[in-house]
Amino acid sequence: MQRPTLPGIEAALDRLRPHLAETPLLRSELLSRAFDADVWLKYEIMSPIASFKLRGALNALLLGAGQGISRAVTSSTGNHGQGVAYAARQVGVPADIFIPNPINPVKVAMMEAFGGTVHVEGDDIDVAKDAARVFAEQNDGLFLDDGEDVEIMQGAGTMALEVVQALQELDALVVPTGGGNLAAGSATALKSLLPKSRLYAVQASGSPAVTESFHARETVERPTDTIADGLMTRVPPQLALEVLWELLDDAWLVTDEAILAGIHTLVECAHVLVEPAGAAALAGAYQHRTEFTGKQVVIMLSGANITTEHLERALSTPPLFSSSDL
């Protein structure tokens, strides 16, 4: 099985740059005070799909276009599907996205706006994935597996490459994780360039399969029940797990309550809006903040496709900390 590499990630960044601008990396004064550290935020919400997922999808489809693909097919809870729909439109092929119930209407609307055809299949992302594979085989499509496709993983790893290029030195990078694709790509880039830097992955406790698999050093399947649809995985992808077992420093779980508190905190203290998955890294980092005292840490904001229902719940949840306390 092909693994992601630093040269592969560097090539992906060169491939993406004409199509996708570098996302902002900004220091947060209030978060730095709350952590007693030098805290930076990587704004992966600043893309045409408001999510980092465009990096991997676009990298894979730009390569696929050179090989004459006729159709893109994938499974997704939303953001990866948006990325595939957008990227497919860029290269001029149709996109079919298979999603499970319950759907995120914001993400479905965006997938369709980018020209994707959405198929709702089952109540589990892995059921949707099986249906997508069958459809791809029957319709001569390229199936893009988020978690098992090395080019998607190398595209995701360009986020960490941008961070290292901007800061040169870094003590820790904290990212959210669903299937482990982002964490694996980021770990490959970070450890290749700054081997002493630490990388942490944060997952919702209502979807703990990848985190439990990381700690058990074997594949563990778990049911999913979380508001963070971007972090849902019942069956961990094998490629992502193998990279994480080798390179990831630690994996943490956070509750939905902590995620909602993280959204509220980012609105109040960073003046930025994220979806539940996008707040997971902050929630996990704050629970383990003593590990970052006096250090330089980057916290990734992975997506901003939030529903009004989740936003209302977040704003009614007390924040992790308040600006008035700092």
Side-chain angles (χ1 to χ4, degrees):
M1 183 179 294
Q2 185 181 0
R3 298 282 193 94
T5 64
L6 179 60
I9 293 170
E10 291 171 334
L13 187 58
D14 289 341
R15 194 175 296 117
L16 292 175
R17 190 53 70 235
H19 307 274
L20 193 61
E22 182 173 348
T23 56
L25 175 65
L26 302 174
R27 185 180 185 277
S28 171
E29 181 63 35
L30 294 183
L31 266 62
S32 294
R33 292 186 182 189
F35 278 74
D36 191 20
D38 187 22
V39 178
W40 295 66
L41 297 176
K42 181 62 168 167
Y43 287 79
E44 286 299 298
I45 59 177
M46 303 299 291
S47 84
I49 70 166
S51 167
F52 82 95
K53 290 289 189 178
L54 183 52
R55 293 177 182 268
L58 187 55
N59 184 52
L61 281 178
L62 286 171
L63 283 169
Q67 299 167 2
I69 65 164
S70 60
R71 178 183 296 272
V73 183
T74 197
S75 56
S76 173
T77 56
N79 284 341
H80 173 63
Q82 284 190 72
V84 170
Y86 183 94
R89 187 176 70 176
Q90 292 293 103
V91 302
V93 299
D96 291 270
I97 300 102
F98 287 72
I99 67 172
N101 279 305
I103 66 169
N104 180 317
V106 173
K107 296 178 181 180
V108 170
M110 292 305 297
M111 283 186 275
E112 292 176 339
F114 292 134
T117 299
V118 176
H119 309 260
V120 181
E121 189 75 34
D123 301 318
D124 178 282
I125 183 58
D126 291 290
V127 172
K129 180 180 288 189
D130 291 340
R133 287 185 186 277
V134 172
F135 182 89
E137 292 173 0
Q138 294 176 343
N139 293 274
D140 193 29
L142 173 65
F143 178 66
L144 299 164
D145 191 338
D146 190 18
E148 299 287 7
D149 188 314
V150 70
E151 295 303 342
I152 294 177
M153 191 173 290
Q154 291 183 150
T158 61
M159 182 279 300
L161 179 56
E162 286 182 2
V163 169
V164 174
Q165 288 177 342
L167 295 180
Q168 302 300 314
E169 295 182 3
L170 180 66
D171 292 306
L173 174 62
V174 187
V175 303
T177 193
N181 184 63
L182 168 67
S186 297
T188 300
L190 184 67
K191 297 295 185 176
S192 297
L193 294 167
L194 299 174
K196 293 183 179 180
S197 297
R198 299 181 67 80
L199 189 129
Y200 303 96
V202 184
Q203 190 169 37
S205 58
S207 180
V210 169
T211 300
E212 291 191 13
S213 297
F214 169 76
H215 290 294
R217 290 299 193 269
E218 63 180 11
T219 302
V220 177
E221 296 185 22
R222 289 288 182 264
T224 62
D225 182 16
T226 174
I227 62 168
D229 54 79
L231 304 183
M232 286 184 177
T233 297
R234 177 173 58 85
V235 182
Q238 191 62 33
L239 173 60
L241 276 184
E242 289 181 2
V243 177
L244 296 181
W245 285 332
E246 180 182 345
L247 299 176
L248 186 66
D249 290 290
D250 206 353
W252 304 325
L253 294 173
V254 291
T255 64
D256 281 1
E257 188 79 5
I259 287 172
L260 290 168
I263 295 172
H264 191 165
T265 304
L266 287 165
V267 168
E268 179 178 340
C269 294
H271 314 121
V272 63
L273 184 63
V274 298
E275 65 186 88
L282 173 64
Y286 189 70
Q287 288 183 5
H288 296 265
R289 59 191 178 278
T290 56
E291 296 194 23
F292 304 120
T293 302
K295 296 180 179 179
Q296 185 177 54
V297 56
V298 172
I299 297 173
M300 180 188 170
L301 309 180
S302 60
N305 294 291
I306 189 170
T307 63
T308 53
E309 175 191 356
H310 287 162
L311 178 58
E312 290 169 354
R313 288 182 61 183
L315 295 180
S316 65
T317 301
L320 299 169
F321 52 87
S322 176
S323 57
S324 61
D325 299 330
L326 305 175

